[in-house]
Amino acid sequence: MTDNTQVYTDLTVATMEVSDTAYGLIEDAAIVVSKGKVAWTGPKADLPQDYSAQTQISLGGRLVTPGLIDCHTHIVHGGDRAVEFEMRLNGASYEEVARAGGGIVSTVTATRAATEEALIASALPRVDAMLAEGTCVLEIKSGYGLDQDTELRMLRAARAIAQTRPVRVTTSFLGAHAVPAEFTGGADAYIDTVCIPALRAAHAEGLVDAVDGFCEGIAFQPEQIARVFDVARELGLPVKLHAEQLSNLGGAKLAASYGAMSADHIEYLDEDGVAAMAEAGTVAVVLPGAFYTLRETQMPPIAALRKHGVPMALATDCNPGSSPMTSLLLTMNMACTLFRMTPEEALAGVTRHAAAALRLDDCGRVATDLRADLAVWNVSHPAELAYRIGFNPLHSRIFGGQS
Ligand SMILES: [Zn+2]
């Protein structure tokens, strides 16, 4: 046994393992951390003698969960849209906002104008807010450059965040996010002459962990997304898709046909699409922050997802337009209140199922040999994490065994 082994006791652990017990809950538990991993967890009474002879660190009866995982964010971006938010609430029409340079165009303009350092600096306060709520893994997308240089710069900034803060970052190339103004009416030309070459360049630089797209009337058609996914397949990259957010174009089914990691938003998903996702092992990423901000009324098909056994992940969708939110705890509350998900589903959505959405098999649960990414909470029962609004009960965060 090495000196850097920590034995945590006087705690309740929500392992989030699939078991007969809700939340995989173990009361009066112990967790042994060694070399950045969980070496043992279970009831303290069963603690192996090697460990029980060690100095123990009391967690004062607190709850331990897996470190949280935010599997869908656009946290790297230039500028913000607060003034546009205000204009709309003062009665400006969509056209007036657009004429004033608002909408996604304003974020693209601000992101193109930002250096890599500026993109990192503006993202870090948002990242810090996430870490303060126990987040240990963060997915970050490109998609506000819509030209090759800026798409790559966004991804470099995303990679740099993991060098600057104790957090693991996975990246998604989202060149097929919107048609930039200079290609208005020319979505096909944009895909062929900008998006796909940028994807190849970003991959060559090691910047891409997955390939994403936005399949919607206001973005790209399924056949255009398929062209991007064909290149992803050729490069050996997994895919995911913003699908069925505002209408049903069959995006989730398309994504499932490529064995997608996840289909995200999915408010307009039908049962056929749910079945295709179940068959392909595609995770549903539910994003209540965007539903709330856009004041949508079409709910994602939670009952059908349950019926077909499709894992449901939750994420902030942190972005400057439709979900200016950094709180996974609030996301959990919204999923329960707006979509009637249970608190256990909500916690699984930001742990075990979020790991599945990112195809990570070394985190999202508290179990032997997984990373020691843990969140320690000042609560007595895990339901409290989804229950409170605007209250952060995090006591401490352990990242890769380091507190
Ligand atoms: Zn998104």
mmCIF file of all heavy atoms in Angstrom, residues 347-393:
data_model
loop_
_atom_site.group_PDB
_atom_site.id
_atom_site.type_symbol
_atom_site.label_atom_id
_atom_site.label_comp_id
_atom_site.label_asym_id
_atom_site.label_seq_id
_atom_site.Cartn_x
_atom_site.Cartn_y
_atom_site.Cartn_z
ATOM 1 N N LEU A 347 -30.078 12.553 -11.521
ATOM 2 C CA LEU A 347 -28.683 12.342 -11.087
ATOM 3 C C LEU A 347 -27.969 11.361 -12.025
ATOM 4 O O LEU A 347 -26.803 11.574 -12.369
ATOM 5 C CB LEU A 347 -28.634 11.866 -9.628
ATOM 6 C CG LEU A 347 -27.225 11.798 -9.012
ATOM 7 C CD1 LEU A 347 -26.480 13.134 -9.122
ATOM 8 C CD2 LEU A 347 -27.291 11.361 -7.550
ATOM 9 N N ALA A 348 -28.673 10.316 -12.462
ATOM 10 C CA ALA A 348 -28.073 9.410 -13.456
ATOM 11 C C ALA A 348 -27.745 10.181 -14.739
ATOM 12 O O ALA A 348 -26.759 9.908 -15.416
ATOM 13 C CB ALA A 348 -29.016 8.243 -13.765
ATOM 14 N N GLY A 349 -28.587 11.186 -15.038
ATOM 15 C CA GLY A 349 -28.417 11.968 -16.267
ATOM 16 C C GLY A 349 -27.156 12.811 -16.292
ATOM 17 O O GLY A 349 -26.665 13.163 -17.360
ATOM 18 N N VAL A 350 -26.642 13.163 -15.127
ATOM 19 C CA VAL A 350 -25.416 13.975 -15.074
ATOM 20 C C VAL A 350 -24.234 13.146 -14.565
ATOM 21 O O VAL A 350 -23.179 13.700 -14.252
ATOM 22 C CB VAL A 350 -25.602 15.250 -14.214
ATOM 23 C CG1 VAL A 350 -26.655 16.153 -14.847
ATOM 24 C CG2 VAL A 350 -25.993 14.918 -12.781
ATOM 25 N N THR A 351 -24.441 11.821 -14.468
ATOM 26 C CA THR A 351 -23.336 10.942 -14.039
ATOM 27 C C THR A 351 -23.223 9.757 -15.006
ATOM 28 O O THR A 351 -22.606 9.864 -16.051
ATOM 29 C CB THR A 351 -23.529 10.472 -12.574
ATOM 30 O OG1 THR A 351 -24.810 9.830 -12.421
ATOM 31 C CG2 THR A 351 -23.457 11.651 -11.605
ATOM 32 N N ARG A 352 -23.877 8.649 -14.653
ATOM 33 C CA ARG A 352 -23.705 7.415 -15.439
ATOM 34 C C ARG A 352 -24.114 7.591 -16.896
ATOM 35 O O ARG A 352 -23.407 7.168 -17.821
ATOM 36 C CB ARG A 352 -24.530 6.287 -14.783
ATOM 37 C CG ARG A 352 -24.339 4.927 -15.418
ATOM 38 C CD ARG A 352 -25.112 3.841 -14.664
ATOM 39 N NE ARG A 352 -26.529 3.837 -14.949
ATOM 40 C CZ ARG A 352 -27.501 4.035 -14.054
ATOM 41 N NH1 ARG A 352 -27.208 4.267 -12.795
ATOM 42 N NH2 ARG A 352 -28.769 4.006 -14.385
ATOM 43 N N HIS A 353 -25.268 8.194 -17.126
ATOM 44 C CA HIS A 353 -25.749 8.320 -18.501
ATOM 45 C C HIS A 353 -25.000 9.399 -19.285
ATOM 46 O O HIS A 353 -24.860 9.296 -20.508
ATOM 47 C CB HIS A 353 -27.257 8.576 -18.513
ATOM 48 C CG HIS A 353 -28.042 7.379 -18.048
ATOM 49 N ND1 HIS A 353 -29.343 7.457 -17.614
ATOM 50 C CD2 HIS A 353 -27.701 6.069 -17.929
ATOM 51 C CE1 HIS A 353 -29.769 6.250 -17.268
ATOM 52 N NE2 HIS A 353 -28.783 5.397 -17.442
ATOM 53 N N ALA A 354 -24.523 10.426 -18.585
ATOM 54 C CA ALA A 354 -23.704 11.436 -19.269
ATOM 55 C C ALA A 354 -22.383 10.821 -19.712
ATOM 56 O O ALA A 354 -21.872 11.123 -20.796
ATOM 57 C CB ALA A 354 -23.466 12.635 -18.361
ATOM 58 N N ALA A 355 -21.819 9.945 -18.886
ATOM 59 C CA ALA A 355 -20.588 9.224 -19.279
ATOM 60 C C ALA A 355 -20.865 8.387 -20.518
ATOM 61 O O ALA A 355 -20.063 8.360 -21.456
ATOM 62 C CB ALA A 355 -20.095 8.353 -18.130
ATOM 63 N N ALA A 356 -22.026 7.723 -20.541
ATOM 64 C CA ALA A 356 -22.384 6.902 -21.705
ATOM 65 C C ALA A 356 -22.542 7.775 -22.954
ATOM 66 O O ALA A 356 -22.150 7.381 -24.057
ATOM 67 C CB ALA A 356 -23.669 6.121 -21.427
ATOM 68 N N ALA A 357 -23.096 8.973 -22.770
ATOM 69 C CA ALA A 357 -23.278 9.881 -23.916
ATOM 70 C C ALA A 357 -21.937 10.295 -24.504
ATOM 71 O O ALA A 357 -21.852 10.629 -25.681
ATOM 72 C CB ALA A 357 -24.071 11.118 -23.498
ATOM 73 N N LEU A 358 -20.895 10.289 -23.682
ATOM 74 C CA LEU A 358 -19.555 10.652 -24.166
ATOM 75 C C LEU A 358 -18.705 9.410 -24.426
ATOM 76 O O LEU A 358 -17.516 9.525 -24.712
ATOM 77 C CB LEU A 358 -18.861 11.569 -23.145
ATOM 78 C CG LEU A 358 -19.546 12.921 -22.909
ATOM 79 C CD1 LEU A 358 -18.827 13.709 -21.806
ATOM 80 C CD2 LEU A 358 -19.591 13.745 -24.192
ATOM 81 N N ARG A 359 -19.312 8.236 -24.279
ATOM 82 C CA ARG A 359 -18.591 6.955 -24.451
ATOM 83 C C ARG A 359 -17.373 6.866 -23.528
ATOM 84 O O ARG A 359 -16.329 6.349 -23.927
ATOM 85 C CB ARG A 359 -18.144 6.768 -25.907
ATOM 86 C CG ARG A 359 -19.262 6.667 -26.905
ATOM 87 C CD ARG A 359 -19.616 5.212 -27.224
ATOM 88 N NE ARG A 359 -20.869 5.122 -27.971
ATOM 89 C CZ ARG A 359 -20.955 5.147 -29.300
ATOM 90 N NH1 ARG A 359 -19.861 5.228 -30.029
ATOM 91 N NH2 ARG A 359 -22.128 5.043 -29.885
ATOM 92 N N LEU A 360 -17.524 7.373 -22.316
ATOM 93 C CA LEU A 360 -16.454 7.245 -21.321
ATOM 94 C C LEU A 360 -16.843 6.119 -20.377
ATOM 95 O O LEU A 360 -17.942 6.143 -19.804
ATOM 96 C CB LEU A 360 -16.283 8.558 -20.546
ATOM 97 C CG LEU A 360 -15.886 9.782 -21.370
ATOM 98 C CD1 LEU A 360 -15.877 11.038 -20.505
ATOM 99 C CD2 LEU A 360 -14.523 9.582 -22.021
ATOM 100 N N ASP A 361 -15.953 5.133 -20.219
ATOM 101 C CA ASP A 361 -16.322 4.005 -19.354
ATOM 102 C C ASP A 361 -15.518 4.005 -18.053
ATOM 103 O O ASP A 361 -15.554 3.044 -17.303
ATOM 104 C CB ASP A 361 -16.140 2.673 -20.099
ATOM 105 C CG ASP A 361 -14.729 2.477 -20.615
ATOM 106 O OD1 ASP A 361 -13.842 3.283 -20.247
ATOM 107 O OD2 ASP A 361 -14.501 1.526 -21.387
ATOM 108 N N ASP A 362 -14.812 5.101 -17.787
ATOM 109 C CA ASP A 362 -13.993 5.151 -16.568
ATOM 110 C C ASP A 362 -14.487 6.188 -15.571
ATOM 111 O O ASP A 362 -13.769 6.584 -14.664
ATOM 112 C CB ASP A 362 -12.526 5.428 -16.934
ATOM 113 C CG ASP A 362 -12.357 6.774 -17.639
ATOM 114 O OD1 ASP A 362 -13.375 7.405 -17.996
ATOM 115 O OD2 ASP A 362 -11.200 7.197 -17.825
ATOM 116 N N CYS A 363 -15.721 6.672 -15.752
ATOM 117 C CA CYS A 363 -16.260 7.683 -14.826
ATOM 118 C C CYS A 363 -17.786 7.600 -14.861
ATOM 119 O O CYS A 363 -18.360 6.797 -15.591
ATOM 120 C CB CYS A 363 -15.788 9.080 -15.226
ATOM 121 S SG CYS A 363 -16.262 9.558 -16.890
ATOM 122 N N GLY A 364 -18.451 8.412 -14.022
ATOM 123 C CA GLY A 364 -19.911 8.438 -14.003
ATOM 124 C C GLY A 364 -20.522 7.516 -12.968
ATOM 125 O O GLY A 364 -21.740 7.524 -12.759
ATOM 126 N N ARG A 365 -19.695 6.700 -12.316
ATOM 127 C CA ARG A 365 -20.139 5.848 -11.208
ATOM 128 C C ARG A 365 -19.024 5.843 -10.172
ATOM 129 O O ARG A 365 -17.882 6.184 -10.487
ATOM 130 C CB ARG A 365 -20.380 4.408 -11.685
ATOM 131 C CG ARG A 365 -21.562 4.235 -12.626
ATOM 132 C CD ARG A 365 -21.562 2.849 -13.260
ATOM 133 N NE ARG A 365 -20.490 2.702 -14.212
ATOM 134 C CZ ARG A 365 -19.653 1.664 -14.276
ATOM 135 N NH1 ARG A 365 -19.779 0.644 -13.436
ATOM 136 N NH2 ARG A 365 -18.692 1.616 -15.173
ATOM 137 N N VAL A 366 -19.366 5.449 -8.951
ATOM 138 C CA VAL A 366 -18.329 5.241 -7.942
ATOM 139 C C VAL A 366 -18.138 3.737 -7.849
ATOM 140 O O VAL A 366 -19.002 3.013 -7.344
ATOM 141 C CB VAL A 366 -18.732 5.822 -6.565
ATOM 142 C CG1 VAL A 366 -17.587 5.616 -5.565
ATOM 143 C CG2 VAL A 366 -19.070 7.310 -6.684
ATOM 144 N N ALA A 367 -17.040 3.256 -8.391
ATOM 145 C CA ALA A 367 -16.801 1.812 -8.457
ATOM 146 C C ALA A 367 -15.307 1.555 -8.564
ATOM 147 O O ALA A 367 -14.555 2.407 -9.060
ATOM 148 C CB ALA A 367 -17.521 1.204 -9.663
ATOM 149 N N THR A 368 -14.908 0.381 -8.133
ATOM 150 C CA THR A 368 -13.501 -0.009 -8.163
ATOM 151 C C THR A 368 -12.925 0.136 -9.566
ATOM 152 O O THR A 368 -13.575 -0.250 -10.553
ATOM 153 C CB THR A 368 -13.369 -1.478 -7.704
ATOM 154 O OG1 THR A 368 -13.963 -1.561 -6.412
ATOM 155 C CG2 THR A 368 -11.911 -1.902 -7.602
ATOM 156 N N ASP A 369 -11.746 0.709 -9.613
ATOM 157 C CA ASP A 369 -10.970 0.906 -10.849
ATOM 158 C C ASP A 369 -11.436 2.056 -11.729
ATOM 159 O O ASP A 369 -10.808 2.334 -12.741
ATOM 160 C CB ASP A 369 -10.889 -0.381 -11.689
ATOM 161 C CG ASP A 369 -9.975 -1.411 -11.043
ATOM 162 O OD1 ASP A 369 -9.095 -1.001 -10.260
ATOM 163 O OD2 ASP A 369 -10.155 -2.605 -11.303
ATOM 164 N N LEU A 370 -12.542 2.706 -11.362
ATOM 165 C CA LEU A 370 -12.912 3.909 -12.116
ATOM 166 C C LEU A 370 -12.142 5.101 -11.552
ATOM 167 O O LEU A 370 -11.609 5.058 -10.447
ATOM 168 C CB LEU A 370 -14.417 4.185 -12.035
ATOM 169 C CG LEU A 370 -15.367 3.132 -12.575
ATOM 170 C CD1 LEU A 370 -16.728 3.760 -12.863
ATOM 171 C CD2 LEU A 370 -14.830 2.473 -13.843
ATOM 172 N N ARG A 371 -12.082 6.181 -12.324
ATOM 173 C CA ARG A 371 -11.417 7.397 -11.848
ATOM 174 C C ARG A 371 -12.039 7.862 -10.535
ATOM 175 O O ARG A 371 -13.252 7.791 -10.347
ATOM 176 C CB ARG A 371 -11.587 8.530 -12.871
ATOM 177 C CG ARG A 371 -10.640 8.477 -14.057
ATOM 178 C CD ARG A 371 -10.975 9.611 -15.020
ATOM 179 N NE ARG A 371 -10.853 10.914 -14.350
ATOM 180 C CZ ARG A 371 -9.727 11.630 -14.306
ATOM 181 N NH1 ARG A 371 -8.631 11.194 -14.886
ATOM 182 N NH2 ARG A 371 -9.693 12.800 -13.680
ATOM 183 N N ALA A 372 -11.195 8.382 -9.653
ATOM 184 C CA ALA A 372 -11.705 8.955 -8.395
ATOM 185 C C ALA A 372 -12.130 10.393 -8.659
ATOM 186 O O ALA A 372 -11.504 11.350 -8.213
ATOM 187 C CB ALA A 372 -10.651 8.860 -7.309
ATOM 188 N N ASP A 373 -13.198 10.553 -9.442
ATOM 189 C CA ASP A 373 -13.855 11.845 -9.656
ATOM 190 C C ASP A 373 -15.097 11.821 -8.773
ATOM 191 O O ASP A 373 -16.072 11.103 -9.074
ATOM 192 C CB ASP A 373 -14.286 12.005 -11.121
ATOM 193 C CG ASP A 373 -13.121 12.229 -12.075
ATOM 194 O OD1 ASP A 373 -11.985 12.434 -11.599
ATOM 195 O OD2 ASP A 373 -13.353 12.202 -13.297
ATOM 196 N N LEU A 374 -15.072 12.591 -7.697
ATOM 197 C CA LEU A 374 -16.134 12.500 -6.698
ATOM 198 C C LEU A 374 -16.618 13.888 -6.321
ATOM 199 O O LEU A 374 -15.853 14.853 -6.323
ATOM 200 C CB LEU A 374 -15.610 11.794 -5.434
ATOM 201 C CG LEU A 374 -14.963 10.416 -5.628
ATOM 202 C CD1 LEU A 374 -14.284 9.970 -4.333
ATOM 203 C CD2 LEU A 374 -16.007 9.394 -6.070
ATOM 204 N N ALA A 375 -17.903 13.982 -5.987
ATOM 205 C CA ALA A 375 -18.461 15.223 -5.441
ATOM 206 C C ALA A 375 -18.986 14.914 -4.041
ATOM 207 O O ALA A 375 -19.684 13.919 -3.843
ATOM 208 C CB ALA A 375 -19.591 15.735 -6.340
ATOM 209 N N VAL A 376 -18.598 15.754 -3.093
ATOM 210 C CA VAL A 376 -19.013 15.588 -1.695
ATOM 211 C C VAL A 376 -19.998 16.702 -1.374
ATOM 212 O O VAL A 376 -19.695 17.884 -1.583
ATOM 213 C CB VAL A 376 -17.791 15.653 -0.746
ATOM 214 C CG1 VAL A 376 -18.221 15.390 0.693
ATOM 215 C CG2 VAL A 376 -16.709 14.665 -1.181
ATOM 216 N N TRP A 377 -21.181 16.330 -0.904
ATOM 217 C CA TRP A 377 -22.287 17.286 -0.762
ATOM 218 C C TRP A 377 -22.745 17.416 0.685
ATOM 219 O O TRP A 377 -22.819 16.420 1.408
ATOM 220 C CB TRP A 377 -23.498 16.816 -1.582
ATOM 221 C CG TRP A 377 -23.220 16.549 -3.019
ATOM 222 C CD1 TRP A 377 -22.931 15.341 -3.582
ATOM 223 C CD2 TRP A 377 -23.225 17.499 -4.092
ATOM 224 N NE1 TRP A 377 -22.751 15.478 -4.942
ATOM 225 C CE2 TRP A 377 -22.930 16.786 -5.286
ATOM 226 C CE3 TRP A 377 -23.456 18.875 -4.159
ATOM 227 C CZ2 TRP A 377 -22.857 17.418 -6.531
ATOM 228 C CZ3 TRP A 377 -23.384 19.494 -5.405
ATOM 229 C CH2 TRP A 377 -23.088 18.775 -6.566
ATOM 230 N N ASN A 378 -23.164 18.625 1.028
ATOM 231 C CA ASN A 378 -23.771 18.884 2.341
ATOM 232 C C ASN A 378 -25.267 18.586 2.283
ATOM 233 O O ASN A 378 -26.099 19.454 2.535
ATOM 234 C CB ASN A 378 -23.557 20.352 2.741
ATOM 235 C CG ASN A 378 -22.108 20.658 3.045
ATOM 236 O OD1 ASN A 378 -21.445 19.921 3.772
ATOM 237 N ND2 ASN A 378 -21.601 21.735 2.467
ATOM 238 N N VAL A 379 -25.598 17.388 1.916
ATOM 239 C CA VAL A 379 -27.007 16.978 1.909
ATOM 240 C C VAL A 379 -27.070 15.579 2.510
ATOM 241 O O VAL A 379 -26.077 14.856 2.541
ATOM 242 C CB VAL A 379 -27.634 16.955 0.492
ATOM 243 C CG1 VAL A 379 -27.480 18.302 -0.196
ATOM 244 C CG2 VAL A 379 -27.041 15.852 -0.372
ATOM 245 N N SER A 380 -28.251 15.192 2.948
ATOM 246 C CA SER A 380 -28.359 13.867 3.550
ATOM 247 C C SER A 380 -28.934 12.846 2.580
ATOM 248 O O SER A 380 -28.711 11.654 2.725
ATOM 249 C CB SER A 380 -29.196 13.927 4.827
ATOM 250 O OG SER A 380 -30.422 14.550 4.543
ATOM 251 N N HIS A 381 -29.696 13.321 1.559
ATOM 252 C CA HIS A 381 -30.294 12.380 0.602
ATOM 253 C C HIS A 381 -30.093 12.921 -0.816
ATOM 254 O O HIS A 381 -30.236 14.125 -1.044
ATOM 255 C CB HIS A 381 -31.788 12.204 0.885
ATOM 256 C CG HIS A 381 -32.387 11.079 0.104
ATOM 257 N ND1 HIS A 381 -32.782 11.220 -1.200
ATOM 258 C CD2 HIS A 381 -32.605 9.791 0.425
ATOM 259 C CE1 HIS A 381 -33.241 10.052 -1.651
ATOM 260 N NE2 HIS A 381 -33.146 9.171 -0.673
ATOM 261 N N PRO A 382 -29.785 12.044 -1.776
ATOM 262 C CA PRO A 382 -29.498 12.545 -3.130
ATOM 263 C C PRO A 382 -30.648 13.293 -3.793
ATOM 264 O O PRO A 382 -30.414 14.121 -4.683
ATOM 265 C CB PRO A 382 -29.126 11.270 -3.916
ATOM 266 C CG PRO A 382 -29.408 10.108 -3.048
ATOM 267 C CD PRO A 382 -29.497 10.596 -1.643
ATOM 268 N N ALA A 383 -31.889 13.050 -3.385
ATOM 269 C CA ALA A 383 -33.014 13.777 -3.994
ATOM 270 C C ALA A 383 -32.874 15.284 -3.789
ATOM 271 O O ALA A 383 -33.393 16.083 -4.574
ATOM 272 C CB ALA A 383 -34.338 13.294 -3.400
ATOM 273 N N GLU A 384 -32.153 15.678 -2.734
ATOM 274 C CA GLU A 384 -32.012 17.102 -2.444
ATOM 275 C C GLU A 384 -31.235 17.835 -3.540
ATOM 276 O O GLU A 384 -31.392 19.050 -3.719
ATOM 277 C CB GLU A 384 -31.316 17.285 -1.084
ATOM 278 C CG GLU A 384 -31.475 18.685 -0.538
ATOM 279 C CD GLU A 384 -30.980 18.837 0.898
ATOM 280 O OE1 GLU A 384 -30.831 17.819 1.605
ATOM 281 O OE2 GLU A 384 -30.746 19.994 1.278
ATOM 282 N N LEU A 385 -30.415 17.102 -4.300
ATOM 283 C CA LEU A 385 -29.627 17.753 -5.351
ATOM 284 C C LEU A 385 -30.521 18.311 -6.451
ATOM 285 O O LEU A 385 -30.231 19.355 -7.037
ATOM 286 C CB LEU A 385 -28.599 16.770 -5.931
ATOM 287 C CG LEU A 385 -27.551 16.265 -4.930
ATOM 288 C CD1 LEU A 385 -26.663 15.209 -5.588
ATOM 289 C CD2 LEU A 385 -26.719 17.414 -4.372
ATOM 290 N N ALA A 386 -31.613 17.613 -6.757
ATOM 291 C CA ALA A 386 -32.534 18.083 -7.797
ATOM 292 C C ALA A 386 -33.637 18.970 -7.225
ATOM 293 O O ALA A 386 -34.315 19.665 -7.971
ATOM 294 C CB ALA A 386 -33.166 16.879 -8.510
ATOM 295 N N TYR A 387 -33.796 18.958 -5.932
ATOM 296 C CA TYR A 387 -34.941 19.590 -5.268
ATOM 297 C C TYR A 387 -34.774 21.094 -5.063
ATOM 298 O O TYR A 387 -35.664 21.890 -5.363
ATOM 299 C CB TYR A 387 -35.152 18.848 -3.948
ATOM 300 C CG TYR A 387 -35.816 19.565 -2.821
ATOM 301 C CD1 TYR A 387 -37.196 19.803 -2.838
ATOM 302 C CD2 TYR A 387 -35.083 19.966 -1.706
ATOM 303 C CE1 TYR A 387 -37.803 20.430 -1.771
ATOM 304 C CE2 TYR A 387 -35.687 20.582 -0.646
ATOM 305 C CZ TYR A 387 -37.045 20.824 -0.672
ATOM 306 O OH TYR A 387 -37.639 21.436 0.381
ATOM 307 N N ARG A 388 -33.605 21.493 -4.596
ATOM 308 C CA ARG A 388 -33.425 22.915 -4.292
ATOM 309 C C ARG A 388 -33.178 23.712 -5.575
ATOM 310 O O ARG A 388 -32.688 23.188 -6.567
ATOM 311 C CB ARG A 388 -32.276 23.112 -3.318
ATOM 312 C CG ARG A 388 -32.599 22.559 -1.946
ATOM 313 C CD ARG A 388 -31.685 23.096 -0.875
ATOM 314 N NE ARG A 388 -32.000 22.450 0.396
ATOM 315 C CZ ARG A 388 -32.985 22.831 1.209
ATOM 316 N NH1 ARG A 388 -33.723 23.888 0.901
ATOM 317 N NH2 ARG A 388 -33.226 22.183 2.322
ATOM 318 N N ILE A 389 -33.515 25.001 -5.528
ATOM 319 C CA ILE A 389 -33.358 25.885 -6.689
ATOM 320 C C ILE A 389 -32.403 27.014 -6.308
ATOM 321 O O ILE A 389 -32.648 27.733 -5.340
ATOM 322 C CB ILE A 389 -34.729 26.476 -7.104
ATOM 323 C CG1 ILE A 389 -35.706 25.366 -7.491
ATOM 324 C CG2 ILE A 389 -34.560 27.460 -8.268
ATOM 325 C CD1 ILE A 389 -37.145 25.843 -7.681
ATOM 326 N N GLY A 390 -31.302 27.116 -7.064
ATOM 327 C CA GLY A 390 -30.366 28.221 -6.816
ATOM 328 C C GLY A 390 -29.578 28.070 -5.536
ATOM 329 O O GLY A 390 -29.167 29.067 -4.941
ATOM 330 N N PHE A 391 -29.374 26.850 -5.094
ATOM 331 C CA PHE A 391 -28.609 26.600 -3.873
ATOM 332 C C PHE A 391 -27.570 25.545 -4.189
ATOM 333 O O PHE A 391 -27.896 24.507 -4.762
ATOM 334 C CB PHE A 391 -29.553 26.109 -2.762
ATOM 335 C CG PHE A 391 -28.842 25.756 -1.475
ATOM 336 C CD1 PHE A 391 -28.274 26.748 -0.691
ATOM 337 C CD2 PHE A 391 -28.752 24.436 -1.057
ATOM 338 C CE1 PHE A 391 -27.620 26.422 0.482
ATOM 339 C CE2 PHE A 391 -28.105 24.108 0.131
ATOM 340 C CZ PHE A 391 -27.530 25.108 0.899
ATOM 341 N N ASN A 392 -26.326 25.841 -3.848
ATOM 342 C CA ASN A 392 -25.245 24.910 -4.169
ATOM 343 C C ASN A 392 -24.694 24.274 -2.901
ATOM 344 O O ASN A 392 -23.949 24.906 -2.169
ATOM 345 C CB ASN A 392 -24.126 25.662 -4.912
ATOM 346 C CG ASN A 392 -22.946 24.754 -5.221
ATOM 347 O OD1 ASN A 392 -23.018 23.535 -5.020
ATOM 348 N ND2 ASN A 392 -21.873 25.343 -5.699
ATOM 349 N N PRO A 393 -25.040 23.002 -2.637
ATOM 350 C CA PRO A 393 -24.581 22.370 -1.403
ATOM 351 C C PRO A 393 -23.255 21.613 -1.544
ATOM 352 O O PRO A 393 -22.949 20.766 -0.707
ATOM 353 C CB PRO A 393 -25.726 21.396 -1.097
ATOM 354 C CG PRO A 393 -26.212 20.982 -2.444
ATOM 355 C CD PRO A 393 -25.970 22.151 -3.384
#
